[in-house]
Amino acid sequence: TRDVLIPRGDTEVLVETSLQLLSQVTEKSPHVLDMCTGSGCVGITIALEDSRSLLTLSDISDKALEVVATNIENLGAKHVSLIQSDLFSALEGEKFSLICSNPPYIAPQWYEICSQEVHNEPTLALIDHSSDGLDILRKIIRLSPLHLHKNGYLVVECDYRQIAEVMRLFREQGFSDVTSYKDLGDRQRVVSGRYTCTKS
């Protein structure tokens, strides 16, 4: 619907990376959070591809979550729960083996020169109103350690122009094995890291 982004091929690398990292998790039933889930395409795909995982899909938009609920039913995804949350606000005390997110990361000046196709999409899902488009990602990276099990993973999508800074932010928060991955257009698109520390 008009309330969510049309899934794009470049986000496949977010799914593929998450599944690859999940294969290294030894827990019997890893708990996965798909934050800023939108249509649910990332979290639902993970649920369908990795049947042992328990998925929580969160979004700030109640309209988006209505779309997710329909997609879960239509696709027959199991072990998936939904929660309306502004990032981690409704997830106090929850911990996950893996957190993945494709949050809004387009800076306002970049949005102005985007294609009409992009301008037809909901701005809530696209625009981060900071000058570098990273305010939301900064919050996700800073708060994720409080919601990850030891050796848990964080995987995020961002713009290729933000990769270096996102990787720096990961390391600054204590993530190890910080790695970037290219999308289908051969541009850096996804960053992952493993959190080996624990915070009380």
Side-chain angles (χ1 to χ4, degrees):
T1 74
R2 291 184 177 273
D3 297 304
V4 297
L5 287 177
I6 297 171
R8 283 162 168 77
D10 288 336
T11 299
E12 288 181 25
V13 70
L14 179 65
V15 176
E16 291 168 355
T17 301
S18 297
L19 288 169
Q20 175 190 343
L21 295 174
L22 272 174
S23 71
Q24 302 172 32
V25 173
T26 57
E27 296 168 56
K28 183 178 179 181
S29 300
H31 196 179
V32 178
L33 171 65
D34 174 20
M35 177 172 284
C36 307
T37 190
S39 68
C41 64
V42 172
I44 292 172
T45 303
I46 292 171
L48 293 171
E49 294 289 331
D50 186 348
S51 59
R52 70 191 180 117
S53 291
L54 309 174
L55 272 291
T56 296
L57 278 55
S58 72
D59 204 282
I60 194 173
S61 166
D62 57 344
K63 294 292 187 182
L65 291 174
E66 290 176 10
V67 176
V68 180
T70 299
N71 288 336
I72 289 170
E73 182 177 356
N74 289 344
L75 294 166
K78 307 295 184 186
H79 312 299
V80 180
S81 60
L82 304 181
I83 187 167
Q84 185 173 11
S85 183
D86 182 0
L87 301 185
F88 292 103
S89 63
L91 294 164
E92 185 175 355
E94 293 284 332
K95 293 210 171 190
F96 303 90
S97 304
L98 184 142
I99 298 170
C100 60
S101 184
N102 178 14
Y105 57 75
I106 296 178
Q109 67 271 22
W110 300 347
Y111 180 74
E112 294 303 319
I113 59 173
C114 285
S115 67
Q116 186 58 48
E117 178 189 14
V118 173
H119 282 225
N120 290 336
E121 300 280 21
T123 55
L124 179 66
L126 291 172
I127 300 175
D128 177 299
H129 291 282
S130 59
S131 60
D132 60 2
L134 284 175
D135 269 8
I136 294 171
L137 272 163
R138 283 192 188 92
K139 290 176 185 174
I140 292 172
I141 296 166
R142 176 170 54 83
L143 295 173
S144 285
L146 298 172
H147 297 273
L148 283 170
H149 296 305
K150 186 175 181 180
N151 293 316
Y153 293 99
L154 175 63
V155 191
V156 301
E157 179 173 323
C158 61
D159 189 87
Y160 69 95
R161 291 164 285 193
Q162 299 165 326
I163 287 286
E165 178 62 9
V166 169
M167 294 180 77
R168 187 193 71 78
L169 290 167
F170 266 65
R171 295 188 182 102
E172 184 178 80
Q173 288 301 318
F175 286 90
S176 61
D177 302 330
V178 179
T179 308
S180 66
Y181 307 82
K182 290 184 177 180
D183 62 20
L184 300 178
D186 205 37
R187 283 181 164 171
Q188 300 289 344
R189 180 68 59 182
V190 164
V191 174
S192 73
R194 183 165 60 96
Y195 195 69
T196 54
C197 306
T198 55
K199 287 188 177 183
S200 58

